[in-house]
Amino acid sequence: MIESMERDRAVKAGHRQMWALGSYAVVAAEVIPELGATLVRAAGAGPGDRVLDVAAGTGNAAIPAALAGASVVASDLTPELLETGRALAAERGARLDWQQADAEALPYADGEFDRVLSCVGVMFAPRHQAAADELVRVCRPGGTIGLINWTPEGFIGQMFATMKPYAPPPPPGAQPPPLWGSEDHVRALLGDRVTDVVTRRQAVMVDRFANPEEFRDFFKAHYGPTIAVYRAIAGEPERVAALDQDLADLARRHSEAGRMRWEYLLVTARRAA
């Protein structure tokens, strides 16, 4: 038991360190700025609602929810992201609470929130069922759970598949993040504890990058998971060059007329009474 707890702490520490690398705020602001507001609208968050954003990062969903009039708690495992989020919220005039919390063990009461959201965040918790159980637990009966997750078949899902051969093996029990973008997987995770499940495959159109190499270099500089993979192979120049080529080729395959289509799954569900 003690050994298991120590492994879990080490896994969580690794996740915190990974997401503190680079600058996720730049990715959220320059590449996918509209995703959070899309989720807030789909979940119907507004005045009078108590909202929890799980794995909130720098507040891509939490800040729009607060600006829509909701009372918002933004929770994340990585304190560096929360600090950046606080500054961004202040710049936009949004008032909300920022709290460090583990998506697999949320420090909130049963049914504490009217709407529980996560925008490409909770999908990165290693134990999917544990995280899903917490999403349901803290949502009040009749409340709404709203998620946006990258799909396995979409660009970001394929990016993780491309990086996998170069990355260290995942910890025991960890599941691939893009599985959260599968309708069947999410329905199985939430089970009969929710009703009125609606899933929609949508896409964000990305025109931030002039060419595939610019995309690759941007993610090498700013996106924690990509930075971590490159650090793992830093002493192997041939593998670094191969990953450089693989990521550029992936971006090239998903580009058309200077734009990239990044597919995601939008999920809304109602907590059963």
Side-chain angles (χ1 to χ4, degrees):
M1 179 62 125
I2 293 175
E3 183 179 346
S4 176
M5 292 174 63
E6 290 177 350
R7 281 200 306 267
D8 187 61
R9 282 195 292 268
V11 168
K12 298 302 168 62
H15 271 254
R16 285 195 297 271
Q17 293 167 4
M18 179 182 71
W19 286 106
L21 297 172
S23 177
Y24 184 73
V26 174
V27 178
E30 295 188 12
V31 186
I32 53 170
E34 69 269 32
L35 274 193
T38 296
L39 179 59
V40 169
R41 288 192 298 270
D49 286 329
R50 299 164 299 166
V51 173
L52 174 66
D53 186 4
V54 179
T58 55
N60 204 10
I63 292 173
L67 293 174
S71 174
V72 180
V73 174
S75 68
D76 199 278
L77 189 65
T78 304
E80 291 87 348
L81 297 182
L82 297 175
E83 286 302 314
T84 302
R86 286 190 183 96
L88 293 173
E91 290 175 7
R92 297 182 62 182
R95 299 183 62 181
L96 60 156
D97 292 330
W98 300 84
Q99 299 179 5
Q100 186 174 3
D102 180 355
E104 297 178 1
L106 294 170
Y108 308 113
D110 295 358
E112 186 170 341
F113 298 94
D114 301 301
R115 305 186 194 276
V116 179
L117 312 179
S118 189
C119 183
V120 295
V122 74
M123 64 181 290
F124 292 100
R127 297 180 299 176
H128 293 189
Q129 191 62 63
D133 291 347
E134 287 295 87
L135 295 178
V136 175
R137 181 184 66 79
V138 301
C139 186
R140 69 164 174 83
T144 299
I145 296 170
L147 309 170
I148 283 181
N149 301 315
W150 301 119
T151 66
E153 304 84 3
F155 178 75
I156 296 296
Q158 289 300 298
M159 185 185 77
F160 276 93
T162 298
M163 295 192 300
K164 182 178 179 179
Y166 300 92
Q175 293 176 279
L179 274 180
W180 276 89
S182 162
E183 294 95 329
D184 290 344
H185 187 66
V186 173
R187 287 178 183 272
L189 290 174
L190 300 177
D192 60 5
R193 298 168 298 175
V194 299
T195 63
D196 303 321
V197 179
V198 178
T199 62
R200 297 191 294 273
R201 287 185 176 238
Q202 300 180 178
V204 57
M205 302 306 295
V206 177
D207 59 4
R208 165 65 176 73
F209 308 110
N211 53 58
E213 289 74 21
E214 184 180 349
F215 154 77
R216 178 200 64 209
D217 294 344
F218 180 92
F219 266 57
K220 284 176 68 172
H222 296 294
Y223 192 58
T226 306
I227 296 169
V229 172
Y230 272 98
R231 286 192 175 185
I233 60 173
E236 304 172 79
E238 291 184 359
R239 298 189 77 202
V240 170
L243 181 54
D244 277 348
Q245 188 63 53
D246 287 349
L247 288 176
D249 289 345
L250 175 72
R252 192 169 291 109
R253 291 195 301 272
H254 285 261
S255 298
E256 185 174 345
R259 304 179 78 201
M260 304 172 72
R261 184 180 187 275
W262 294 10
E263 185 184 66
Y264 61 86
L265 183 72
L266 174 62
V267 180
T268 57
R270 190 172 301 280
R271 168 77 189 274

